[in-house]
Amino acid sequence: VTFLFTDIVGSAREYGAALDQFARSNGGHVFKAVGGARCIAFNSSDHALTTAIRAQEAMADSLSVRMAIHTAQIHPTGNDYFGPPLHRVARILAAANGGQILISDTTREALTREFELKDMGLHTLKDLLEPTRLWQFGSLDFGEIRGLAGIPHNLPVQTTSFVGRKDELNSIQDLFDAH
Protein backbone atom coordinates (compact mmCIF):
# COMPACT_ATOMS: atom_id res chain seq x y z
CA VAL A 1 0.00 0.00 0.00
CA THR A 2 1.28 3.45 -0.83
CA PHE A 3 0.15 6.22 1.48
CA LEU A 4 -0.18 9.88 0.52
CA PHE A 5 -0.51 12.23 3.49
CA THR A 6 -1.20 15.91 2.91
CA ASP A 7 -1.34 18.96 5.12
CA ILE A 8 -2.11 22.57 4.31
CA VAL A 9 0.32 25.14 5.61
CA GLY A 10 -2.15 27.34 7.42
CA SER A 11 -5.74 26.16 7.06
CA ALA A 12 -8.26 25.71 4.25
CA ARG A 13 -11.08 23.20 4.47
CA GLU A 14 -12.25 23.78 0.88
CA TYR A 15 -9.07 22.12 -0.38
CA GLY A 16 -10.16 18.72 0.96
CA ALA A 17 -12.96 18.11 -1.54
CA ALA A 18 -10.63 18.89 -4.46
CA LEU A 19 -7.99 16.47 -3.19
CA ASP A 20 -10.64 13.80 -2.60
CA GLN A 21 -11.58 14.08 -6.29
CA PHE A 22 -7.92 13.84 -7.40
CA ALA A 23 -7.46 10.77 -5.19
CA ARG A 24 -10.59 8.96 -6.45
CA SER A 25 -9.72 9.66 -10.10
CA ASN A 26 -6.33 7.94 -9.55
CA GLY A 27 -7.59 4.92 -7.61
CA GLY A 28 -6.99 6.31 -4.12
CA HIS A 29 -9.08 5.75 -1.00
CA VAL A 30 -9.32 8.60 1.53
CA PHE A 31 -9.36 6.76 4.85
CA LYS A 32 -8.93 9.75 7.15
CA ALA A 33 -9.76 13.44 6.85
CA VAL A 34 -9.07 16.05 9.49
CA GLY A 35 -9.93 19.57 8.35
CA GLY A 36 -8.06 20.01 5.08
CA ALA A 37 -5.51 17.25 5.81
CA ARG A 38 -5.95 13.90 4.08
CA CYS A 39 -4.64 10.35 4.54
CA ILE A 40 -5.03 8.42 1.29
CA ALA A 41 -4.18 4.82 0.41
CA PHE A 42 -3.24 3.66 -3.12
CA ASN A 43 -2.47 0.29 -4.65
CA SER A 44 0.13 1.96 -6.86
CA SER A 45 3.07 4.22 -6.00
CA ASP A 46 2.79 5.77 -9.47
CA HIS A 47 -0.85 6.71 -8.85
CA ALA A 48 -0.04 8.21 -5.45
CA LEU A 49 2.73 10.39 -6.85
CA THR A 50 0.65 11.37 -9.90
CA THR A 51 -2.18 12.43 -7.58
CA ALA A 52 0.22 14.50 -5.47
CA ILE A 53 1.70 16.18 -8.55
CA ARG A 54 -1.71 17.03 -10.04
CA ALA A 55 -3.03 18.35 -6.74
CA GLN A 56 0.06 20.50 -6.19
CA GLU A 57 -0.20 21.93 -9.71
CA ALA A 58 -3.91 22.68 -9.32
CA MET A 59 -3.52 24.40 -5.95
CA ALA A 60 -0.11 26.06 -6.32
CA ASP A 61 -1.57 29.52 -6.89
CA SER A 62 -3.90 29.50 -3.90
CA LEU A 63 -2.57 27.09 -1.25
CA SER A 64 0.72 25.86 0.16
CA VAL A 65 0.35 22.13 0.70
CA ARG A 66 3.04 19.77 1.92
CA MET A 67 2.81 16.11 0.93
CA ALA A 68 4.51 12.85 1.88
CA ILE A 69 4.38 9.43 0.24
CA HIS A 70 5.52 6.11 1.74
CA THR A 71 5.04 2.51 0.58
CA ALA A 72 4.84 -0.48 2.93
CA GLN A 73 3.23 -3.86 3.39
CA ILE A 74 0.24 -3.36 5.67
CA HIS A 75 -3.34 -4.58 5.89
CA PRO A 76 -6.32 -2.37 6.65
CA THR A 77 -8.27 -2.70 9.87
CA GLY A 78 -11.79 -2.14 8.65
CA ASN A 79 -11.71 1.13 6.71
CA ASP A 80 -8.58 2.42 8.46
CA TYR A 81 -4.88 1.63 8.77
CA PHE A 82 -2.71 1.45 11.89
CA GLY A 83 0.94 0.75 12.57
CA PRO A 84 4.54 1.86 11.98
CA PRO A 85 4.17 2.63 8.24
CA LEU A 86 1.66 5.36 9.08
CA HIS A 87 3.96 6.79 11.74
CA ARG A 88 6.76 6.90 9.16
CA VAL A 89 4.72 8.73 6.52
CA ALA A 90 3.47 11.17 9.19
CA ARG A 91 7.09 11.92 10.17
CA ILE A 92 8.03 12.42 6.52
CA LEU A 93 5.09 14.82 6.16
CA ALA A 94 6.25 16.76 9.23
CA ALA A 95 9.68 17.17 7.58
CA ALA A 96 8.24 18.62 4.34
CA ASN A 97 7.88 22.31 3.57
CA GLY A 98 4.87 23.96 1.95
CA GLY A 99 4.58 23.06 -1.75
CA GLN A 100 7.00 20.14 -1.38
CA ILE A 101 6.34 16.46 -2.15
CA LEU A 102 8.68 14.13 -0.23
CA ILE A 103 8.78 10.40 -0.81
CA SER A 104 10.49 7.55 1.02
CA ASP A 105 13.15 5.34 -0.50
CA THR A 106 10.74 2.38 -0.57
CA THR A 107 8.29 4.41 -2.64
CA ARG A 108 11.03 5.50 -5.04
CA GLU A 109 11.98 1.84 -5.54
CA ALA A 110 8.32 0.89 -6.16
CA LEU A 111 7.80 3.48 -8.91
CA THR A 112 7.48 1.97 -12.39
CA ARG A 113 7.43 5.25 -14.32
CA GLU A 114 10.11 7.91 -14.64
CA PHE A 115 9.57 10.93 -12.39
CA GLU A 116 11.91 13.85 -11.78
CA LEU A 117 13.21 13.02 -8.31
CA LYS A 118 15.91 14.74 -6.29
CA ASP A 119 17.84 12.80 -3.64
CA MET A 120 17.54 14.81 -0.43
CA GLY A 121 19.87 12.49 1.50
CA LEU A 122 19.49 10.84 4.89
CA HIS A 123 17.50 12.63 7.57
CA THR A 124 16.83 11.87 11.21
CA LEU A 125 13.10 12.20 11.81
CA LYS A 126 11.29 12.40 15.13
CA ASP A 127 10.63 9.02 16.81
CA LEU A 128 12.46 7.02 14.11
CA LEU A 129 15.66 5.33 15.29
CA GLU A 130 17.44 5.18 11.96
CA PRO A 131 17.93 7.98 9.43
CA THR A 132 15.51 7.94 6.50
CA ARG A 133 16.53 8.61 2.88
CA LEU A 134 14.12 11.11 1.39
CA TRP A 135 13.44 12.03 -2.22
CA GLN A 136 11.72 15.15 -3.49
CA PHE A 137 9.60 15.40 -6.59
CA GLY A 138 11.00 18.14 -8.84
CA SER A 139 14.11 20.25 -8.57
CA LEU A 140 12.76 23.36 -6.83
CA ASP A 141 14.45 24.53 -3.64
CA PHE A 142 12.01 24.48 -0.72
CA GLY A 143 14.64 25.05 1.95
CA GLU A 144 15.99 22.63 4.51
CA ILE A 145 14.18 19.40 5.35
CA ARG A 146 12.61 19.87 8.77
CA GLY A 147 14.27 16.90 10.46
CA LEU A 148 15.93 16.70 13.85
CA ALA A 149 19.36 17.77 12.57
CA GLY A 150 18.24 21.40 12.50
CA ILE A 151 17.01 21.40 16.09
CA PRO A 152 19.69 22.30 18.64
CA HIS A 153 19.84 20.01 21.66
CA ASN A 154 22.28 18.65 24.22
CA LEU A 155 21.17 15.03 24.07
CA PRO A 156 23.63 12.25 23.28
CA VAL A 157 23.45 10.54 19.89
CA GLN A 158 21.00 7.63 19.90
CA THR A 159 22.88 4.39 20.32
CA THR A 160 22.25 1.00 18.79
CA SER A 161 21.25 -2.03 20.83
CA PHE A 162 24.89 -3.23 20.74
CA VAL A 163 26.22 -0.41 22.94
CA GLY A 164 26.93 -1.74 26.40
CA ARG A 165 26.83 -5.37 25.21
CA LYS A 166 30.55 -6.07 25.04
CA ASP A 167 30.22 -9.64 26.36
CA GLU A 168 27.65 -10.53 23.68
CA LEU A 169 29.78 -8.97 20.95
CA ASN A 170 32.83 -10.93 22.14
CA SER A 171 30.79 -14.15 22.10
CA ILE A 172 29.69 -13.45 18.54
CA GLN A 173 33.28 -12.73 17.51
CA ASP A 174 34.43 -16.02 19.13
CA LEU A 175 31.76 -17.91 17.17
CA PHE A 176 32.91 -16.29 13.89
CA ASP A 177 36.53 -17.13 14.66
CA ALA A 178 35.66 -20.75 15.50
CA HIS A 179 33.74 -21.34 12.28
Side-chain angles (χ1 to χ4, degrees), residues 72-116:
Q73 290 188 2
I74 188 171
H75 297 287
T77 304
N79 288 330
D80 206 348
Y81 291 88
F82 298 98
L86 278 82
H87 297 298
R88 181 168 297 275
V89 70
R91 296 307 179 217
I92 295 170
L93 179 64
N97 295 295
Q100 188 174 40
I101 301 171
L102 290 179
I103 69 171
S104 67
D105 208 32
T106 55
T107 297
R108 184 194 60 83
E109 291 172 3
L111 293 171
T112 60
R113 292 185 25 220
E114 287 292 319
F115 291 94
E116 181 185 357

Side-chain angles (χ1 to χ4, degrees), residues 94-95 97 122-126 143-154:
N97 295 295
L122 292 170
H123 294 275
T124 303
L125 304 178
K126 183 180 176 184
E144 292 293 317
I145 299 293
R146 300 172 352 161
L148 294 180
I151 301 172
H153 60 82
N154 63 352

Side-chain angles (χ1 to χ4, degrees), residues 2 11 20 52 61 86 90 100 136 139 146-147 150 162:
T2 298
S11 178
D20 293 350
D61 292 337
L86 278 82
Q100 188 174 40
Q136 173 188 286
S139 59
R146 300 172 352 161
F162 288 109

